[in-house]
Amino acid sequence: EDGLGDLEAPVMAPDPKANAVMDRATEEEGKEGGIGLFRRYQLAGELLPEARRGPALAGALLSWLRLSSNRQLRWYSSGNYQGKDMASLQRAFAEGVCACVSDSEIDLLSRHLFRLAMATLPRGGGNGDDIRMGILNILRTHGIREGHRPGIDDAFLAQWHQKLHSSTTADDIKICEAYLHFLHTGNWDDFWAHLWHNGGLSREDLGDMRVGWRNESGITGPGNHMPQMIPDFQHFLWVLKVTHSGADLDTAFEMAKGKVHSDLEWELGDLLQNRDAWWAPGKIVEIREKLQWQWKEPGCPRDVLLLDLSLESFLRTKIEQTDLWSLSDDNVCSIAELVIRSGCISAEDPGLANALRLWQRAMAEEVRWSESWAKAVDSALDYMSITLGRFMDSLVQATQPAADSIGRAAGVPESYLTNFGEEVVRGHPLFALSRVIDRLRQAMRAVMGGSEWDVISLPAGGEVKGRITVVSLAEVQGKELGNPPRVIFSNELGGLEDIPGGVEAILTGSTVDILSHIAIRARSQGVLLASCSDAGKWEATRDALSEGTAVKVRQDAMAGSLVLQEVPEAELCAPRAGGQAAIPELELRRPTGHEAWVLSPDKCDRSSVGGKSFNLGTLRRVCEDLPGVITPHSVSLPFGSFERALAANGEEAVERLSGALARVAGAEGSPETVREELEAAREVVMRLDIPSDLSSALCSVELGQATGRDVVEGELWHAVKSVWASKWTERAYLSRKALGIPDADLSMAVLLMDLVPADYAFVLHTANPVTGNESEVFGEIVLGLGEALVGNEPGRALAFAYDKTSGSVEILRLPSKPVVYLAPDPPGVIARSDSNGEDLEGFAGAGLYDSVATSGSVARTADYSAEPLVWDHGFQKELCERLARVGLGVEAECGAPQDIEGCLSGGEVYLLQSRNQVLPPQVVKQNV
């Protein structure tokens, strides 16, 4: 009755994991013979409301349309339609997608995906009948035979006329352009050459256009050379563009006239007349910054959005045509700002916006091209690169699954689908930024000095030999690679991986924090670990030698670079002394536990708790002598608490856990079974109810916000169980197995500590962790909580070295991590693993087991544009000196080099834990 269509009454809640767009497109494209372009646009229009629900659905729509626009899906089917129908359908669908781009109720990523989808569409509209009647009028004006009407026979025009009458598409623009070219040259072969080189259409493509009345051969030609028709077909080309053109710059400008502000219209006209001027790229960005306030408004005409898309595409073309190496470094810096300014207009991504602010701050500095300025710019480039990568990864994640599903149903070649996500990235206008970043990184390295390689771990002797194996380190977890020794090329590192036996070196294109868990393990196991900050250099190094080549890897002490040299296979036979092959099996100290459920710090001893809890007593003594340095309030659940809690839940829980672990032990050689049974073991732990006496004990202690039985038996108990369950993660299990540690020997205490709302987090090593030089403190600092630091979050921390003799500080690099983790409000409590299998001599077990905050942490995009850690040199020096002095105090109290974790909040230093530093075996103790 209201004229708005059918009434729909939902009878069940929608499945949040369902993807109606992908599923329907897969079903339709998988039908015998597929569907044509007309039906595809109809279906896509019907599914547009579903596509608004989130990135996975909007990404599915983009994948579908992109597969179609790239001609991987059929355009022509047995069904016919009139030009006016296609024009109307295209217009309605384009307007619907345009409305999604400007809808503030849709999430930012989905809106950007709709924008990318818009770039695949024709504008639609115009008078579709002008196409049908236009070709008829030309035929009749020039006496060309059509149907039963007598006249000049022209095979091409007869065939094309049938297509235009019943199945007109954007292909007709390219056909018309090629036909005009033929009318100028008189050579029919020129038609096919122009069609292929300018339109990407082949003879076979036109032969498949078997549409219209009695058209069994498609469009084959030939055509008659009648140059007198050139003016008529020039006009007809414009008629076709009115309906079918999309983001073509000149057509988009003509279509947008009268729909943009008059002053902007004049600027656009001036730009097009001077499109090859040196100032054109800057002018494009200026115009786009003004134009955005129109196309981002609801109800904006689609022609304004298509104009903006065409300007963005033209800017990318101008940038890619520029020889960056022929420009001065300052000019390339300006180009970087233009590209990211333009990108921030299209993609309202917080990370990209912060990258732009950081870059503009760096460019505004009065003193440029100094070493300190180059460090800041290098940090900004790193931030920009990681943020760009994260953004592009989100596009791949949103589009690749649907492309695989729809493409396979339609019979698209697997080789095309494999690279679909990568092609989405390469086709994005911001892809041009990657080349600019690489160019500027080399300029900054030249100013700062040093190498593109950061050597994180250097074994005794300074060199290793092995066979090149190109594989992600995550893919070989739990495997024994054996002889011959391996040099792993891993494009990415997560930071928490174990290093399998037989690995002598790991080279990666990821940034690696020198104090991350993977770095600590590499040094403790005598494995060379190095990361390359230059993407081009990394790819060149990786591709220079083929898989399986025997190489020697060493560091050039003078240049700081990494050198790979091919060696005879025979040199790989003998294991390197002190290397990976020499790691002994470990024996853990058996704890005695404690009869109490909860221990205060003064009650903790080595037999009842792990190193974290025990060492807090030492840290408290240090704090007494250092003003402004404190430790958070804490209590511990001693060894044996888990076993008591398990027993309190009854025999069934005990049997379920022991059964799962027995099946793990019996599943050697079956990784999938091991994975499933470990998950079953963790599930048993997470289902445990809290014993009443443990609940009472926790309720009786003061512990941050964890007060009241509801909190203790809710969030706090969940965090404790999560720590216990982390004993049976796949990574922890495989690590113990590799070191010969029986499952029953690993005991887990839990340290419950107030979560400090940190402004900064730090890690200190009171001896240089790479060289073992004990006269030097090495430290790293990040914004917020230490989660970004110890977990090897992409990007760099501020790194510094402190000379114990002179008291001087050297800032080695500035922070660039794009994500900062903050404590919630209120901050709550963190449950930290405190096992007897961490901080062992010769083994860095930290990070194998989880630490879980009761309220979690809040991830935010880091903004360094006004961060004193980057821009205030006095603040940097004062902070690093203060932390170094704290480290020296802890070292003096413990009597050995220390690995210290802490944070700063409200001007006070909080010491969270300290342990004896695991130094590389047989380190050469010398100054760097």
Side-chain angles (χ1 to χ4, degrees), residues 588 591 639-640 643 727 743-749 834-837:
L588 303 187
F639 294 134
E643 289 75 12
K727 175 179 176 179
D743 193 81
D745 286 3
L746 193 285
S747 295
M748 184 74 71
D834 195 22
S835 75
N836 63 335

Side-chain angles (χ1 to χ4, degrees), residues 539-610:
E539 291 177 3
T541 304
R542 184 193 60 200
D543 299 339
L545 297 167
S546 59
E547 174 101 10
T549 302
V551 294
K552 176 170 66 176
V553 186
R554 63 180 179 84
Q555 184 181 28
D556 184 329
M558 296 296 294
S561 60
L562 214 64
V563 178
L564 276 77
Q565 178 183 349
E566 190 170 353
V567 297
E569 182 77 17
E571 292 192 20
L572 305 186
C573 295
R576 173 174 54 85
Q580 178 76 341
I583 297 176
E585 293 190 354
L586 297 178
E587 184 175 342
L588 303 187
R589 180 186 342 201
R590 291 186 176 275
T592 59
H594 200 283
E595 61 182 13
W597 280 106
V598 178
L599 298 179
S600 58
D602 59 312
K603 302 293 185 183
C604 294
D605 57 45
R606 277 293 191 185
S607 63
S608 59
V609 294

Side-chain angles (χ1 to χ4, degrees), residues 445 450-460 462-464 505-508 510-515 519 522-523 527-533 553-557 559-564 768-771 778 780 812-813 920 928:
R445 290 277 178 171
S451 165
E452 302 89 350
W453 287 96
D454 291 320
V455 178
I456 313 301
S457 171
L458 190 65
E463 66 177 44
V464 297
I506 302 169
L507 311 182
T508 180
S510 293
T511 55
V512 179
D513 292 316
I514 201 167
L515 304 183
R523 290 190 290 269
V527 173
L528 189 149
L529 173 61
S531 70
C532 185
S533 61
V553 186
R554 63 180 179 84
Q555 184 181 28
D556 184 329
S561 60
L562 214 64
V563 178
L564 276 77
N768 187 297
V770 176
T771 66
F778 180 88
E780 290 187 322
L812 303 174
R813 59 175 180 260
V928 178

Side-chain angles (χ1 to χ4, degrees), residues 830-849:
I830 184 168
R832 309 186 68 169
S833 64
D834 195 22
S835 75
N836 63 335
E838 302 174 56
D839 314 324
L840 305 176
E841 187 69 30
F843 172 60
L848 279 178
Y849 310 105

Side-chain angles (χ1 to χ4, degrees), residues 172-507:
D172 294 314
I173 294 176
K174 303 303 180 184
I175 294 172
C176 188
E177 289 173 338
Y179 184 62
L180 278 167
H181 181 66
F182 156 68
L183 292 179
H184 280 93
T185 68
N187 186 340
W188 183 243
D189 287 338
D190 289 345
F191 169 83
W192 295 114
H194 188 283
L195 188 67
W196 174 251
H197 292 299
N198 295 278
L201 294 172
S202 66
R203 292 174 186 261
E204 290 75 16
D205 291 328
L206 266 64
D208 287 339
M209 296 178 185
R210 302 181 185 92
V211 290
W213 183 66
R214 293 185 178 179
N215 184 2
E216 301 298 330
S217 59
I219 300 174
T220 59
N224 296 327
H225 183 229
M226 293 181 280
Q228 68 272 19
M229 295 195 297
I230 289 175
D232 288 339
F233 273 104
Q234 286 175 332
H235 174 72
F236 188 63
L237 176 61
W238 175 251
V239 172
L240 290 169
K241 285 186 173 182
V242 168
T243 294
H244 293 307
S245 68
D248 170 74
L249 180 56
D250 293 284
T251 309
F253 175 54
E254 289 297 324
M255 293 296 102
K257 282 183 176 178
K259 300 170 186 174
V260 298
H261 301 314
S262 57
D263 57 337
L264 202 53
E265 191 171 305
W266 183 91
E267 289 186 61
L268 282 160
D270 184 55
L271 170 66
L272 293 184
Q273 291 178 6
N274 298 277
R275 65 185 71 193
D276 293 324
W278 65 267
W279 47 263
K283 193 63 179 178
I284 293 171
V285 178
E286 288 180 20
I287 291 173
R288 291 197 64 224
E289 286 176 332
K290 298 174 184 177
L291 193 62
Q292 66 175 316
W293 307 119
Q294 286 190 250
W295 64 261
K296 290 181 180 179
E297 280 294 312
C300 173
R302 71 194 186 286
D303 288 316
V304 178
L305 177 56
L306 288 170
L307 174 60
D308 185 69
L309 285 163
S310 66
L311 287 168
E312 184 179 34
S313 177
F314 185 53
L315 175 66
R316 174 179 177 167
T317 300
K318 298 295 288 184
I319 298 300
E320 291 182 338
Q321 289 174 346
T322 302
D323 181 4
L324 297 177
W325 293 101
S326 69
L327 300 180
S328 69
D329 293 340
D330 281 312
N331 283 339
V332 180
C333 287
S334 298
I335 287 177
E337 182 175 346
L338 285 180
V339 177
I340 196 166
R341 273 172 62 194
S342 179
C344 287
I345 296 169
S346 308
E348 298 175 82
D349 179 77
L352 292 173
N354 283 343
L356 174 59
R357 280 193 289 271
L358 176 59
W359 188 254
Q360 289 174 328
R361 169 62 189 271
M363 295 303 104
E365 289 290 290
E366 292 183 4
V367 179
R368 298 172 65 165
W369 301 107
S370 65
E371 184 177 346
S372 61
W373 181 82
K375 284 181 181 178
V377 175
D378 189 57
S379 172
L381 288 169
D382 197 42
Y383 183 100
M384 191 185 298
S385 177
I386 297 167
T387 301
L388 177 65
R390 284 178 178 271
F391 177 70
M392 293 301 188
D393 287 347
S394 70
L395 301 183
V396 174
Q397 291 163 8
T399 56
Q400 186 68 54
D404 289 338
S405 177
I406 298 168
R408 285 169 184 154
V412 176
E414 197 67 30
S415 58
Y416 181 89
L417 296 177
T418 299
N419 298 318
F420 182 87
E422 181 180 343
E423 290 305 314
V424 170
V425 170
R426 289 184 173 277
H428 196 283
L430 269 172
F431 183 74
L433 184 60
S434 61
R435 192 166 66 99
V436 180
I437 291 173
D438 288 343
R439 161 71 172 81
L440 287 173
R441 271 182 164 163
Q442 296 189 43
M444 297 309 134
R445 290 277 178 171
V447 176
M448 295 186 299
S451 165
E452 302 89 350
W453 287 96
D454 291 320
V455 178
I456 313 301
S457 171
L458 190 65
E463 66 177 44
V464 297
K465 297 174 185 177
R467 180 181 291 172
I468 291 178
T469 304
V470 182
V471 64
S472 170
L473 191 62
E475 295 178 12
V476 292
Q477 294 297 283
K479 297 180 179 179
E480 179 66 40
L481 299 183
N483 284 322
R486 309 298 180 97
V487 172
I488 298 289
F489 279 71
S490 181
N491 287 329
E492 296 181 352
L493 283 181
L496 295 175
E497 297 92 341
D498 286 314
I499 302 173
V503 174
E504 293 287 300
I506 302 169
L507 311 182

Side-chain angles (χ1 to χ4, degrees), residues 21-66:
V21 178
M22 180 180 73
D23 294 342
R24 183 69 185 280
T26 299
E27 177 187 359
E28 295 292 335
E29 298 291 354
K31 291 179 177 178
E32 185 176 356
I35 57 175
L37 196 59
F38 189 84
R39 179 58 179 151
R40 187 171 298 120
Y41 284 153
Q42 284 182 319
L43 288 169
E46 293 173 14
L47 291 167
L48 201 53
E50 282 289 332
R52 295 164 50 93
R53 289 176 46 209
L57 291 103
L61 184 74
L62 171 59
S63 298
W64 192 15
L65 295 176
R66 188 177 175 89

